[in-house]
Amino acid sequence: SIDQAVSKVSSEGGFTDIEAAVRMAVDELIRQGRPNATKAVVLLSDGKMDPLPSRGTAQQITELMFTEDLPLYRKRQVKLYTLYFSPEADKSLLEKMSQVANGFPGFAPNVDAIHLRFSDIFLSLKKPQVVTLDANGFELGAGIDEATFYVSRTKQESDKLVLSDPYGKRMKSDNLPSSVKWYKAELYDIITVKNPVEGVWTVEGVATRE
């Protein structure tokens, strides 16, 4: 459904109206966001503030964004994360925007770096208690409501990943109990386990693990 929605987005020309995107995003979250959910916006940009001339100059629209839009982010406790793809992007502006709205900026110079920046955002929002992974796996204590495993890997390792619980039960993305959800992206997997059993869990099939 996201792919279908993106395909319907049209462009009004060669302009980059960052303020309009920031304003529409927070309006959407305020109107339709779940009341108890943590709210965040990720702004992706490879350019500079360059609005339609009929709206005003870049300086005027930038000032509008900092005096009206970003204070609303703080008031409504919506975090703004900025991610820029090109050296031509306005790094200074994007960094300042994210800092004002309680997020942080990131730079992805190539496709492979994008998932790493999104994992930074994921960790920031979830604020997980991180456990150490060694050659024997990692140990989870008793009474944990939910465990999330983030595994960074190569494309070639996509179908090799196996997660094993302390009883030796092996799980893959196509063979899961109802308590496990497995999201597979191009260069990483995110596995969520409800009420995981206590003991040592292991990850197999990948050389690079987190």
Side-chain angles (χ1 to χ4, degrees):
S1 60
I2 292 175
D3 288 339
Q4 292 173 358
V6 169
S7 68
K8 296 178 182 178
V9 175
S10 61
S11 172
E12 294 186 43
F15 297 98
T16 302
D17 195 335
I18 294 175
E19 186 274 335
V22 168
R23 171 171 39 83
M24 291 176 68
V26 73
D27 286 347
E28 186 77 7
L29 283 177
I30 291 172
R31 287 190 301 107
Q32 300 196 51
R34 287 176 290 135
N36 298 322
T38 299
K39 296 176 176 61
V41 172
V42 181
L43 174 68
L44 314 177
S45 179
D46 64 353
K48 298 175 172 61
M49 181 74 82
D50 183 23
L52 286 165
S54 60
R55 291 201 63 214
T57 66
Q59 181 177 354
Q60 290 171 331
I61 300 303
T62 299
E63 183 176 349
L64 174 68
M65 181 173 63
F66 278 97
T67 56
E68 295 189 11
D69 303 321
L70 296 180
L72 185 58
Y73 274 71
R74 295 182 67 90
K75 180 180 179 180
R76 296 290 186 146
Q77 296 184 317
V78 179
K79 297 180 183 295
L80 175 64
Y81 299 91
T82 57
L83 180 60
Y84 49 98
F85 301 125
S86 164
E88 301 302 318
D90 193 336
K91 175 183 176 181
S92 176
L93 174 65
L94 296 172
E95 288 182 345
K96 185 177 179 181
M97 288 169 59
S98 61
Q99 290 165 2
V100 168
N102 296 320
F104 54 75
F107 177 48
N110 53 57
V111 173
D112 291 341
I114 293 176
H115 82 283
L116 296 177
R117 301 290 75 79
F118 270 89
S119 68
D120 293 339
I121 295 171
F122 167 79
L123 292 172
S124 171
L125 291 171
K126 293 287 284 187
K127 294 182 173 62
Q129 178 182 356
V130 179
V131 296
T132 302
L133 174 64
D134 57 28
N136 297 318
F138 47 92
E139 186 166 2
L140 299 181
I144 296 176
D145 295 329
E146 180 180 284
T148 300
F149 310 122
Y150 174 85
V151 184
S152 179
R153 54 163 173 71
T154 65
K155 294 178 183 178
Q156 291 73 27
E157 295 170 327
S158 175
D159 298 322
K160 299 178 181 179
L161 180 62
V162 177
L163 177 68
S164 297
D165 70 13
Y167 299 116
K169 182 177 181 179
R170 296 164 59 84
M171 290 169 274
K172 300 187 70 173
S173 60
D174 58 354
N175 180 27
L176 298 173
S178 60
S179 60
V180 180
K181 294 186 181 298
W182 193 310
Y183 174 76
K184 183 181 289 291
E186 188 174 20
L187 293 173
Y188 64 92
D189 290 55
I190 295 178
I191 310 164
T192 302
V193 182
K194 293 286 187 180
N195 302 311
V197 297
E198 179 182 3
V200 177
W201 292 67
T202 59
V203 175
E204 306 169 30
V206 291
T208 304
R209 297 174 292 176
E210 275 186 61

